[in-house]
Each structure stands twice: as structure tokens, then as C-alpha cells.
Amino acid sequence: MSDTLLIDALRVIVGERGVVTDPHDLENYNVDWRHVFKGQARCAVLPRSTQEVAAVVRLCADQRIAIVPYGGNTGLSGGATPDDSGRQVVLSLARMNAIRDIDVLGETMEVEAGCILQTAQDAATQAGLMLPISLAAEGSARIGGILSTNAGGTNVLRYGMSRTRVLGLEVVTAQGEIVSGLRRLRKDNAGYDWKQWFIGAEGTLGIITAAVLQLAPQARHRVTALLAVPTPDAALKVLRAARHHIGETLNAFELMSGAALELVARHQAVKTPLASSDWFVLVEASSCLPGLRDAVEALFALVLEEGEATDGVIAESERQEAELWLLRESITEAEAREGRSLKHDVSVPIARIPAFLHEADAAVAQAFPGSRVNAFGHAGDGNIHYNVIMRADADGHALNRLVHDLVVRQGGSISAEHGIGQYRVSELERCRAAPELQLARRIKRALDPAGTMNPGKVMTLTQQAD
Ligand SMILES: Cc1cc2nc3c(=O)[nH]c(=O)nc-3n(C[C@H](O)[C@H](O)[C@H](O)COP(=O)(O)OP(=O)(O)OC[C@H]3O[C@@H](n4cnc5c(N)ncnc54)[C@H](O)[C@@H]3O)c2cc1C
């Protein structure tokens, strides 16, 4: 089908304003948010309803034209960026952004895939509840992208990955059928839980058009604290003590190296209120019940007395809480200003974090002299951002392989929360066992036999669409 015929057919489905062909306007769809990945789309199409999504998918499937689903474009693995063939159609859900319903008693929200995460959070808050998915890109990321990447973020320790929030899903399959499972049930063991196939699939199996999300009660009391700890091992002892003493109130347990906070002080002029230390942990806890602050103070006294922490501060106001979080949130930006860095978003079983850091630091120092490690992350989830600031001439692929091999040896994952996209396909295929990869390919072939859904992302197949 010629470009003109395709564009005309798409305009019939989604209206004149729903098809983007102007090269300047297409740039937003050709390049990811960080300008790391670049492609060339044939056009971008913005349907207004699930029926329109289905009609677009059917048209493209008939013509064997590949579709790249597109949310807020904040993904960090190039999943929403088309290839450079100029033949793929980007399908943006931006015009499907309604919050269809909030059920206060059932604590659920039915929301369209194009709704921005922050808008959904605000609506939940206004209803006296909370949507506990939170990450720095929440002002731009959309629900469809969040679920398609099974996003993590700062609340995972308590509330789980995005997957755990999904009660029901509506999808358009690769053949253009609408499958609606928008049930708001906590219990539903009637057959396969097919929605799980689409969550975290990065748009390779179909298009998420709407979801029913499980909300949570608002936690009115919050305590945020920063502790200096001598080693990652000591940090894990603090985590164990926190789980024992303040249990399910623990929202976040973030590990930051002293070197990371030195970068923040140097480049962002944000300083820790504590004296220098090799490691720090940022702790946040919240509860519906009063008395949380007393419990955190008691925890502090305990870990200081036992020498697991050497210093600490509890925020006295919302402003101080924000200042403590700013330390954590400034690390990525500070690292970018320091020079060329290679990022590894990895996870290992929590108990193996110290061994992983120890081995990886030694191996990186030996193989890449002159490089510096910037390690931080959601340690309570076993998720470490193991970033290496390296010399301009260093071999990035060799460094990736070195770090990923150590991760695999510790029983970890080469992608804790950022997904595979186009960036990590070859590393996933190198690091995952053949039976797991074969199973994944069988699912892909069953749901998308023509290979038109986001080809080249997550896995390679021998036969795929343009
Ligand atoms: C500053 C910053 C901080 C971040 N912090 C975190 C973090 O803490 N934790 C974390 O996990 N991630 C984080 N991310 C990554 C990113 O925000 C998440 O991956 C997010 O879930 C992507 O949502 P999006 O709407 O931008 O999706 P996009 O980037 O548009 O798309 C992501 C993937 O989902 C697919 N997709 C999009 N919409 C649909 C749909 N409706 N149906 C099917 N497939 C679809 C795309 O094809 C692509 O493969 C961060 C990113 C930035 C820029």
C-alpha cells in the first residue's frame, strides 16, 4: 500500500487530526525522551477510542505494516522508538486519556491507556485514596506505557511493581480484536490470567487500551530519614531491623554510595546534612495510624547503638523530606554532568547485594582502570543502578558483559525495571537460558504470528514484519 493510500485510510478511521505526517511533528515520535534512540516512522496515528485502535491495527495487519505503540516516550530502553526503515507506524494512545470510573469502596480506578500517571494519581488522591505507582517520569509517562514496561519506581518495596496493581485489562490484539477483561475483582481464578502476558510485554504482543487499577488507602502519616552506614552489609542489617520494627509501613529503602552524593554536591549543589560516609540509606515509611514517628525513632536508636548506622537524621517538615529525596533524585543528573557513563539497571537477591558490589567493583577496577563506579538504587527491592563513569575510549560492550555476567552469577536480572526494548535484546539473549527464550518466542508467535507488533523489541525473530 502506498504511503498516500495508507494515510488516507488511517484518516478515515481516526480523523484528519489523528494522523501525523509532518516531518517536524514526527520528530517527537522518532526520538526517545533522552535522545538516545532514533528512528524514522512512516507516520504517527492517534486513535480516540478502543474501536479506532482496533480498526488501525486491522488495517496495518492486513498490509503487514509494523506498529510501534507509544505512551509518554519516557522509556529508557528505546521500546517506543521506531526503526529507521521509514515504514513503521507509531500508534500513540495520547488521545485516549479518560479516567472512566473510581470505585471508592472497592478502591479501584478504570482508566484509559493514554492517561498520564500523575493525572491518575491526582484523581485517586481527590477521591481520598492513592495510586501507589510513583517514579520521576510520572508527569509524562502514560498508564499504557507504565503497564507495558511493568514500571517499578520508589514504592515497589511496599506496593509491588505496576503489575501487582492491575485487576483488569482491555487490549487490542495483533489481529485487531478487542479483548476486554475490565473486571474489578481481587479474586478471579477463572482460567488463564491472560492480562499478565501483555503487562511488561513492551508492546510486542498487543496494545493495552484501558486498565482497572487497584488503589490503596491514603497513608496520612509519613516519616523520611537519612542514615549513614559503613557498608552495604550494614545497610542490609538496617533493612532487616526496619522490616522487623516498622514492617509494612516501609515504603522505600534507597541505598546511595558516598561517591554518588559527592557527585550530587559537586554538580547540583545539593548537600547531605550528615558528615561524609561510604554509604547512606534513605528510608521512607508511612501509615494511616499515628505513632509512626516514635517507632522510627526507636529503630534509629537501635541501629545506632548496634553500630549498623553511624549517624542519622529524621526530617522535621515536608520541606526537609523533599530535601532528603532531592539527594536521591539528583544522582542521575549529577552523573550525566560528570562525564560518559554506562548504566546497568540490575537486580540481585537482596542478601547478595554486598557480594555483587564487592565483586563488580574489583572486576571493573581491574578491567577498566580509571573508571569510577556510581552505585545506588532501590536496595529494598534488590535493585541496584550500577553505573560506571568511564574513559572515552573504554569498550562499553565489554563492560556491559562483565557486569551482566556477575549479575547472572549472583542469580540476578540484567533489567530490574527498565525493560529490554531495543537496547538490551542481545544481552537478554546472551544471559537468559535457552528454554526461557524459546518459551517467550512461542508466546510471541502464538499472539503475533505475523510479527507486526513492535518488531525488534524484547527479542529477535527470524521472520518479522517491515
Ligand atoms: C526521569 C525518568 C525516571 C524514570 N524512573 C523510572 C523508575 O523509577 N522505574 C521504572 O520502572 N522506570 C522508570 N523510568 C522509565 C519510564 O518512565 C518507564 O518505563 C515508563 O513506564 C514508560 O512509560 P511511557 O508511557 O513513557 O512509555 P513509552 O516510553 O512511550 O513506551 C514504553 C514501552 O511500552 C510500549 N507501550 C507504550 N504504550 C503502550 C500501550 N498502550 N500498549 C502496549 N504497549 C505500549 C512501547 O512500545 C514501549 O515498548 C524513568 C524514566 C525517566 C525519563
Side-chain angles (χ1 to χ4, degrees):
M1 189 180 239
S2 73
D3 278 0
T4 317
L5 282 178
L6 176 71
I7 305 297
D8 286 349
L10 288 171
R11 285 197 174 124
V12 170
I13 299 169
V14 299
E16 195 71 23
R17 288 179 49 229
V19 184
V20 179
T21 54
D22 178 82
H24 180 259
D25 296 341
L26 262 188
E27 268 308 284
N28 286 335
Y29 303 95
N30 287 335
V31 185
D32 75 303
W33 188 80
R34 291 184 306 158
H35 291 251
V36 172
F37 305 96
K38 182 159 176 40
Q40 180 60 57
R42 194 163 176 170
C43 65
V45 57
L46 291 84
R48 293 160 293 195
S49 66
T50 304
Q51 287 71 21
E52 288 187 4
V53 173
V56 169
V57 173
R58 279 198 300 274
L59 172 67
C60 291
D62 280 351
Q63 300 298 320
R64 286 186 54 83
I65 294 168
I67 290 181
V68 181
Y70 181 97
N73 200 26
T74 67
L76 298 174
S77 307
T81 308
D83 68 14
D84 56 9
S85 65
R87 295 190 49 76
Q88 300 189 328
V89 169
V90 171
L91 191 152
S92 163
L93 280 293
R95 292 206 291 176
M96 288 179 58
N97 55 15
I99 293 169
R100 292 181 182 163
D101 179 62
I102 294 181
D103 172 353
V104 174
L105 191 58
E107 297 178 350
T108 64
M109 169 189 286
E110 185 176 319
V111 59
E112 290 183 346
C115 182
I116 289 181
L117 174 58
Q118 201 166 57
T119 308
Q121 289 170 344
D122 291 347
T125 306
Q126 274 162 25
L129 295 162
M130 71 177 284
L131 172 57
I133 304 173
S134 179
L135 39 89
E138 62 201 18
S140 304
R142 296 177 190 271
I143 295 298
I146 290 287
L147 300 185
S148 297
T149 55
N150 185 27
T154 49
N155 282 328
V156 172
L157 180 58
R158 179 164 182 179
Y159 296 101
M161 299 287 277
S162 298
R163 184 187 297 284
T164 58
R165 295 285 112 201
V166 184
L167 296 180
L169 210 62
E170 178 187 84
V171 300
V172 169
T173 67
Q175 293 75 31
E177 304 142 341
I178 298 170
V179 181
S180 181
L182 288 173
R183 285 179 288 274
R184 49 185 73 178
L185 306 172
R186 283 168 189 256
K187 293 191 166 184
D188 180 8
N189 274 350
Y192 290 157
D193 190 5
W194 59 262
K195 63 181 179 296
Q196 303 299 345
W197 304 339
F198 295 87
I199 301 168
E202 300 182 54
T204 59
L205 299 179
I207 294 171
I208 294 175
T209 48
V212 176
L213 302 177
Q214 175 77 69
L215 305 176
Q218 271 175 14
R220 285 178 295 279
H221 307 279
R222 191 174 58 219
V223 182
T224 306
L226 182 72
L227 284 160
V229 293
T231 59
D233 212 30
L236 294 191
K237 290 195 175 115
V238 174
L239 174 64
R240 189 62 229 132
R243 294 298 280 176
H244 188 71
H245 290 279
I246 58 172
E248 68 287 349
T249 66
L250 197 59
N251 295 336
F253 191 91
E254 301 288 310
L255 180 67
M256 303 176 285
S257 67
L261 293 197
E262 274 167 31
L263 286 183
V264 168
R266 187 167 340 133
H267 295 292
Q268 311 286 98
V270 180
K271 289 204 165 58
T272 147
L274 303 179
S276 70
S277 166
D278 285 345
W279 293 92
F280 294 89
V281 290
L282 180 64
V283 178
E284 185 193 270
S286 66
S287 174
C288 296
L289 300 172
L292 181 64
R293 194 180 172 89
D294 291 346
V296 173
E297 281 173 2
L299 169 70
F300 252 55
L302 184 79
V303 294
L304 286 167
E305 191 184 306
E306 298 195 345
E308 286 148 5
T310 52
D311 199 0
V313 59
I314 300 179
E316 298 287 344
S317 63
E318 282 193 13
R319 192 175 58 82
Q320 282 182 5
E321 281 183 353
E323 282 167 6
L324 293 185
W325 270 107
L326 192 60
L327 290 166
R328 168 68 179 82
E329 285 159 2
S330 303
I331 298 176
T332 305
E333 182 76 30
E335 181 188 294
R337 288 175 187 224
E338 182 72 6
R340 179 188 178 211
S341 73
L342 206 63
K343 300 182 193 305
H344 304 94
D345 163 44
V346 301
S347 59
V348 294
I350 294 173
R352 296 192 185 166
I353 291 175
F356 165 71
L357 289 171
H358 183 70
E359 277 187 22
D361 286 358
V364 168
Q366 193 187 15
F368 296 91
S371 59
R372 282 167 297 143
V373 170
N374 183 28
F376 60 98
H378 317 293
D381 313 321
N383 180 186
I384 299 294
H385 299 300
Y386 192 82
N387 300 345
V388 183
I389 301 162
M390 56 201 290
R391 292 199 332 224
D393 61 350
D395 178 350
H397 291 298
L399 177 55
N400 268 335
R401 286 194 294 272
L402 183 141
V403 173
H404 290 161
D405 285 347
L406 292 171
V407 166
V408 171
R409 219 169 54 223
Q410 293 292 349
S413 168
I414 65 159
S415 177
E417 54 178 18
H418 295 166
I420 299 300
Q422 55 180 285
Y423 180 48
R424 297 186 183 85
V425 175
S426 57
E427 276 300 89
L428 181 70
E429 293 181 346
R430 198 178 65 81
C431 293
R432 275 278 147 101
E436 277 191 271
L437 295 171
Q438 280 157 11
L439 188 59
R441 288 200 177 98
R442 249 181 270 156
I443 291 171
K444 168 78 175 168
R445 289 205 172 95
L447 295 186
D448 179 24
T452 46
M453 290 307 312
N454 217 0
K457 314 292 167 52
V458 182
M459 67 181 78
T460 50
L461 292 172
T462 43
Q463 181 214 0
Q464 44 196 19
D466 301 323

